mmCIF file of all heavy atoms in Angstrom:
data_model
loop_
_atom_site.group_PDB
_atom_site.id
_atom_site.type_symbol
_atom_site.label_atom_id
_atom_site.label_comp_id
_atom_site.label_asym_id
_atom_site.label_seq_id
_atom_site.Cartn_x
_atom_site.Cartn_y
_atom_site.Cartn_z
ATOM 1 N N SER L 223 6.503 -22.728 -24.757
ATOM 2 C CA SER L 223 6.713 -21.295 -24.988
ATOM 3 C C SER L 223 8.133 -20.974 -24.580
ATOM 4 O O SER L 223 8.645 -21.509 -23.596
ATOM 5 C CB SER L 223 5.697 -20.464 -24.222
ATOM 6 O OG SER L 223 5.947 -20.552 -22.856
ATOM 7 N N TYR L 266 -0.635 -16.393 -37.292
ATOM 8 C CA TYR L 266 0.047 -16.753 -36.041
ATOM 9 C C TYR L 266 1.088 -17.816 -36.378
ATOM 10 O O TYR L 266 0.863 -18.662 -37.250
ATOM 11 C CB TYR L 266 -0.947 -17.329 -35.025
ATOM 12 C CG TYR L 266 -1.806 -16.279 -34.353
ATOM 13 C CD1 TYR L 266 -3.181 -16.310 -34.468
ATOM 14 C CD2 TYR L 266 -1.230 -15.265 -33.591
ATOM 15 C CE1 TYR L 266 -3.978 -15.351 -33.848
ATOM 16 C CE2 TYR L 266 -2.013 -14.299 -32.973
ATOM 17 C CZ TYR L 266 -3.375 -14.344 -33.107
ATOM 18 O OH TYR L 266 -4.150 -13.392 -32.495
ATOM 19 N N PHE L 271 4.908 -22.664 -30.665
ATOM 20 C CA PHE L 271 3.980 -21.611 -30.237
ATOM 21 C C PHE L 271 2.549 -22.112 -30.445
ATOM 22 O O PHE L 271 2.241 -22.743 -31.451
ATOM 23 C CB PHE L 271 4.257 -20.353 -31.077
ATOM 24 C CG PHE L 271 3.317 -19.203 -30.808
ATOM 25 C CD1 PHE L 271 3.143 -18.701 -29.522
ATOM 26 C CD2 PHE L 271 2.630 -18.598 -31.854
ATOM 27 C CE1 PHE L 271 2.285 -17.631 -29.293
ATOM 28 C CE2 PHE L 271 1.784 -17.522 -31.635
ATOM 29 C CZ PHE L 271 1.608 -17.039 -30.352
ATOM 30 N N THR L 272 1.685 -21.809 -29.470
ATOM 31 C CA THR L 272 0.318 -22.344 -29.532
ATOM 32 C C THR L 272 -0.612 -21.581 -30.485
ATOM 33 O O THR L 272 -1.691 -22.068 -30.814
ATOM 34 C CB THR L 272 -0.329 -22.278 -28.129
ATOM 35 O OG1 THR L 272 -0.169 -20.939 -27.638
ATOM 36 C CG2 THR L 272 0.307 -23.264 -27.166
ATOM 37 N N GLY L 273 -0.175 -20.381 -30.923
ATOM 38 C CA GLY L 273 -1.053 -19.530 -31.728
ATOM 39 C C GLY L 273 -1.503 -20.180 -33.036
ATOM 40 O O GLY L 273 -2.695 -20.264 -33.326
ATOM 41 N N GLY L 343 -4.017 -11.037 -30.734
ATOM 42 C CA GLY L 343 -3.638 -11.281 -29.348
ATOM 43 C C GLY L 343 -2.203 -11.745 -29.264
ATOM 44 O O GLY L 343 -1.418 -11.567 -30.195
ATOM 45 N N ALA L 344 -1.862 -12.335 -28.135
ATOM 46 C CA ALA L 344 -0.524 -12.873 -27.833
ATOM 47 C C ALA L 344 0.433 -11.814 -27.320
ATOM 48 O O ALA L 344 1.552 -12.120 -26.921
ATOM 49 C CB ALA L 344 0.087 -13.628 -29.011
ATOM 50 N N GLU L 345 0.023 -10.548 -27.330
ATOM 51 C CA GLU L 345 0.857 -9.467 -26.791
ATOM 52 C C GLU L 345 -0.065 -8.322 -26.388
ATOM 53 O O GLU L 345 -1.183 -8.214 -26.897
ATOM 54 C CB GLU L 345 1.871 -8.996 -27.839
ATOM 55 C CG GLU L 345 1.199 -8.391 -29.065
ATOM 56 C CD GLU L 345 2.190 -7.952 -30.146
ATOM 57 O OE1 GLU L 345 3.400 -8.171 -29.985
ATOM 58 O OE2 GLU L 345 1.730 -7.382 -31.153
ATOM 59 N N PRO L 346 0.402 -7.470 -25.477
ATOM 60 C CA PRO L 346 -0.451 -6.351 -25.058
ATOM 61 C C PRO L 346 -0.611 -5.326 -26.175
ATOM 62 O O PRO L 346 0.308 -5.121 -26.969
ATOM 63 C CB PRO L 346 0.296 -5.742 -23.869
ATOM 64 C CG PRO L 346 1.593 -6.438 -23.760
ATOM 65 C CD PRO L 346 1.673 -7.525 -24.755
ATOM 66 N N TRP L 347 -1.758 -4.709 -26.228
ATOM 67 C CA TRP L 347 -2.001 -3.598 -27.155
ATOM 68 C C TRP L 347 -3.063 -2.708 -26.559
ATOM 69 O O TRP L 347 -3.671 -3.058 -25.553
ATOM 70 C CB TRP L 347 -2.349 -4.091 -28.570
ATOM 71 C CG TRP L 347 -3.488 -5.076 -28.719
ATOM 72 C CD1 TRP L 347 -3.694 -6.206 -27.983
ATOM 73 C CD2 TRP L 347 -4.539 -5.030 -29.683
ATOM 74 N NE1 TRP L 347 -4.805 -6.859 -28.446
ATOM 75 C CE2 TRP L 347 -5.345 -6.167 -29.483
ATOM 76 C CE3 TRP L 347 -4.889 -4.141 -30.700
ATOM 77 C CZ2 TRP L 347 -6.483 -6.437 -30.253
ATOM 78 C CZ3 TRP L 347 -6.007 -4.426 -31.483
ATOM 79 C CH2 TRP L 347 -6.789 -5.559 -31.250
ATOM 80 N N ASP L 365 -9.740 -8.313 -29.536
ATOM 81 C CA ASP L 365 -8.644 -8.739 -28.662
ATOM 82 C C ASP L 365 -8.929 -10.170 -28.200
ATOM 83 O O ASP L 365 -10.014 -10.448 -27.679
ATOM 84 C CB ASP L 365 -8.608 -7.784 -27.456
ATOM 85 C CG ASP L 365 -7.385 -7.961 -26.589
ATOM 86 O OD1 ASP L 365 -6.451 -8.686 -27.007
ATOM 87 O OD2 ASP L 365 -7.358 -7.370 -25.481
ATOM 88 N N ILE L 366 -7.988 -11.061 -28.396
ATOM 89 C CA ILE L 366 -8.164 -12.434 -27.907
ATOM 90 C C ILE L 366 -6.984 -12.792 -26.998
ATOM 91 O O ILE L 366 -5.863 -12.335 -27.214
ATOM 92 C CB ILE L 366 -8.324 -13.464 -29.049
ATOM 93 C CG1 ILE L 366 -7.022 -13.658 -29.835
ATOM 94 C CG2 ILE L 366 -9.455 -13.052 -29.980
ATOM 95 C CD1 ILE L 366 -7.079 -14.805 -30.833
ATOM 96 N N TYR L 367 -7.276 -13.584 -25.980
ATOM 97 C CA TYR L 367 -6.265 -13.821 -24.945
ATOM 98 C C TYR L 367 -6.095 -15.307 -24.640
ATOM 99 O O TYR L 367 -7.056 -16.081 -24.685
ATOM 100 C CB TYR L 367 -6.686 -13.096 -23.656
ATOM 101 C CG TYR L 367 -5.841 -13.428 -22.447
ATOM 102 C CD1 TYR L 367 -4.648 -12.756 -22.215
ATOM 103 C CD2 TYR L 367 -6.238 -14.411 -21.546
ATOM 104 C CE1 TYR L 367 -3.866 -13.057 -21.098
ATOM 105 C CE2 TYR L 367 -5.463 -14.718 -20.428
ATOM 106 C CZ TYR L 367 -4.275 -14.034 -20.214
ATOM 107 O OH TYR L 367 -3.506 -14.336 -19.114
ATOM 108 N N GLY L 368 -4.893 -15.648 -24.317
ATOM 109 C CA GLY L 368 -4.632 -17.000 -23.840
ATOM 110 C C GLY L 368 -3.163 -17.152 -23.523
ATOM 111 O O GLY L 368 -2.360 -16.263 -23.793
ATOM 112 N N LEU L 369 -2.817 -18.265 -22.923
ATOM 113 C CA LEU L 369 -1.403 -18.549 -22.651
ATOM 114 C C LEU L 369 -1.184 -20.051 -22.674
ATOM 115 O O LEU L 369 -2.098 -20.823 -22.374
ATOM 116 C CB LEU L 369 -0.946 -17.927 -21.329
ATOM 117 C CG LEU L 369 -1.578 -18.345 -20.025
ATOM 118 C CD1 LEU L 369 -0.702 -17.880 -18.876
ATOM 119 C CD2 LEU L 369 -2.951 -17.732 -19.866
ATOM 120 N N SER L 370 0.015 -20.450 -23.082
ATOM 121 C CA SER L 370 0.313 -21.871 -23.245
ATOM 122 C C SER L 370 -0.034 -22.673 -22.003
ATOM 123 O O SER L 370 -0.618 -23.752 -22.096
ATOM 124 C CB SER L 370 1.800 -22.093 -23.526
ATOM 125 O OG SER L 370 2.352 -21.038 -24.217
ATOM 126 N N GLU L 371 0.356 -22.143 -20.842
ATOM 127 C CA GLU L 371 0.183 -22.891 -19.598
ATOM 128 C C GLU L 371 -1.283 -23.243 -19.341
ATOM 129 O O GLU L 371 -1.576 -24.223 -18.673
ATOM 130 C CB GLU L 371 0.714 -22.083 -18.411
ATOM 131 C CG GLU L 371 2.214 -21.809 -18.457
ATOM 132 C CD GLU L 371 2.542 -20.503 -19.179
ATOM 133 O OE1 GLU L 371 1.880 -20.198 -20.205
ATOM 134 O OE2 GLU L 371 3.442 -19.783 -18.730
ATOM 135 N N GLY L 374 -3.400 -22.144 -24.403
ATOM 136 C CA GLY L 374 -2.976 -21.434 -25.618
ATOM 137 C C GLY L 374 -4.030 -20.370 -25.871
ATOM 138 O O GLY L 374 -4.729 -19.975 -24.934
ATOM 139 N N PRO L 375 -4.189 -19.882 -27.116
ATOM 140 C CA PRO L 375 -5.295 -18.959 -27.369
ATOM 141 C C PRO L 375 -6.591 -19.704 -27.106
ATOM 142 O O PRO L 375 -6.607 -20.938 -27.144
ATOM 143 C CB PRO L 375 -5.139 -18.623 -28.860
ATOM 144 C CG PRO L 375 -4.401 -19.790 -29.443
ATOM 145 C CD PRO L 375 -3.483 -20.272 -28.349
ATOM 146 N N THR L 433 -0.562 -15.940 -13.744
ATOM 147 C CA THR L 433 -0.179 -15.568 -15.115
ATOM 148 C C THR L 433 0.804 -14.407 -15.179
ATOM 149 O O THR L 433 1.458 -14.209 -16.195
ATOM 150 C CB THR L 433 -1.410 -15.124 -15.928
ATOM 151 O OG1 THR L 433 -1.933 -13.928 -15.334
ATOM 152 C CG2 THR L 433 -2.488 -16.197 -15.948
ATOM 153 N N ASP L 435 -0.149 -11.580 -15.611
ATOM 154 C CA ASP L 435 -0.858 -10.578 -16.416
ATOM 155 C C ASP L 435 -1.792 -9.776 -15.514
ATOM 156 O O ASP L 435 -2.421 -10.335 -14.614
ATOM 157 C CB ASP L 435 -1.690 -11.256 -17.500
ATOM 158 C CG ASP L 435 -0.811 -11.914 -18.553
ATOM 159 O OD1 ASP L 435 0.233 -11.315 -18.900
ATOM 160 O OD2 ASP L 435 -1.154 -13.019 -19.024
ATOM 161 N N ILE L 456 -5.562 -6.777 -21.062
ATOM 162 C CA ILE L 456 -4.386 -6.819 -20.193
ATOM 163 C C ILE L 456 -3.681 -5.460 -20.224
ATOM 164 O O ILE L 456 -3.384 -4.946 -21.306
ATOM 165 C CB ILE L 456 -3.395 -7.899 -20.688
ATOM 166 C CG1 ILE L 456 -4.067 -9.278 -20.762
ATOM 167 C CG2 ILE L 456 -2.133 -7.923 -19.848
ATOM 168 C CD1 ILE L 456 -4.369 -9.904 -19.450
ATOM 169 N N ARG L 459 2.165 -6.679 -17.479
ATOM 170 C CA ARG L 459 2.532 -7.872 -16.722
ATOM 171 C C ARG L 459 3.289 -7.427 -15.486
ATOM 172 O O ARG L 459 4.002 -6.430 -15.531
ATOM 173 C CB ARG L 459 3.439 -8.782 -17.574
ATOM 174 C CG ARG L 459 2.724 -9.499 -18.692
ATOM 175 C CD ARG L 459 3.706 -10.320 -19.509
ATOM 176 N NE ARG L 459 4.467 -11.273 -18.713
ATOM 177 C CZ ARG L 459 4.021 -12.463 -18.324
ATOM 178 N NH1 ARG L 459 2.810 -12.860 -18.652
ATOM 179 N NH2 ARG L 459 4.774 -13.265 -17.628
ATOM 180 N N LYS L 556 5.441 -11.622 -31.716
ATOM 181 C CA LYS L 556 5.336 -10.749 -30.552
ATOM 182 C C LYS L 556 6.387 -9.645 -30.679
ATOM 183 O O LYS L 556 7.562 -9.934 -30.841
ATOM 184 C CB LYS L 556 5.579 -11.553 -29.274
ATOM 185 C CG LYS L 556 4.556 -12.670 -29.044
ATOM 186 C CD LYS L 556 4.767 -13.324 -27.682
ATOM 187 C CE LYS L 556 3.939 -14.591 -27.557
ATOM 188 N NZ LYS L 556 3.035 -14.591 -26.403
HETATM 189 O O1 DLL R 635 0.523 -15.951 -26.691
HETATM 190 C C1 DLL R 635 -1.243 -17.591 -26.780
HETATM 191 C C2 DLL R 635 -1.984 -16.770 -27.771
HETATM 192 C C3 DLL R 635 -1.782 -16.965 -29.108
HETATM 193 C C4 DLL R 635 -2.916 -15.827 -27.367
HETATM 194 C C5 DLL R 635 -2.486 -16.244 -30.056
HETATM 195 C C6 DLL R 635 -3.634 -15.090 -28.269
HETATM 196 C C7 DLL R 635 -3.425 -15.296 -29.607
HETATM 197 P P1 DLL R 635 2.161 -17.599 -24.817
HETATM 198 O O2 DLL R 635 3.171 -17.542 -25.895
HETATM 199 O O3 DLL R 635 2.289 -18.634 -23.763
HETATM 200 O O4 DLL R 635 0.727 -17.830 -25.417
HETATM 201 O O5 DLL R 635 2.120 -16.166 -24.143
HETATM 202 C C8 DLL R 635 1.184 -15.877 -23.159
HETATM 203 O O6 DLL R 635 1.096 -13.550 -23.834
HETATM 204 O O7 DLL R 635 0.589 -14.435 -20.431
HETATM 205 C C9 DLL R 635 0.219 -12.527 -21.920
HETATM 206 O O8 DLL R 635 1.282 -11.908 -21.225
HETATM 207 C C10 DLL R 635 0.437 -12.379 -23.399
HETATM 208 N N1 DLL R 635 -0.848 -12.253 -24.087
HETATM 209 C C11 DLL R 635 -1.556 -13.200 -24.730
HETATM 210 N N2 DLL R 635 -2.700 -12.667 -25.247
HETATM 211 C C12 DLL R 635 -2.697 -11.355 -24.896
HETATM 212 C C13 DLL R 635 -3.595 -10.259 -25.104
HETATM 213 C C14 DLL R 635 0.079 -17.017 -26.317
HETATM 214 N N3 DLL R 635 -4.703 -10.381 -25.809
HETATM 215 C C15 DLL R 635 1.313 -14.431 -22.720
HETATM 216 N N4 DLL R 635 -3.258 -9.070 -24.550
HETATM 217 C C16 DLL R 635 0.259 -14.031 -21.735
HETATM 218 C C17 DLL R 635 -2.129 -8.919 -23.847
HETATM 219 C C18 DLL R 635 -1.535 -11.107 -24.147
HETATM 220 N N5 DLL R 635 -1.256 -9.892 -23.632
#
Side-chain angles (χ1 to χ4, degrees):
S223 69
Y266 283 120
F271 176 55
T272 51
E345 63 182 3
W347 54 313
D365 190 10
I366 69 172
Y367 171 84
L369 62 165
S370 329
E371 296 90 321
T433 65
D435 292 321
I456 303 289
R459 287 178 56 81
K556 298 186 191 236

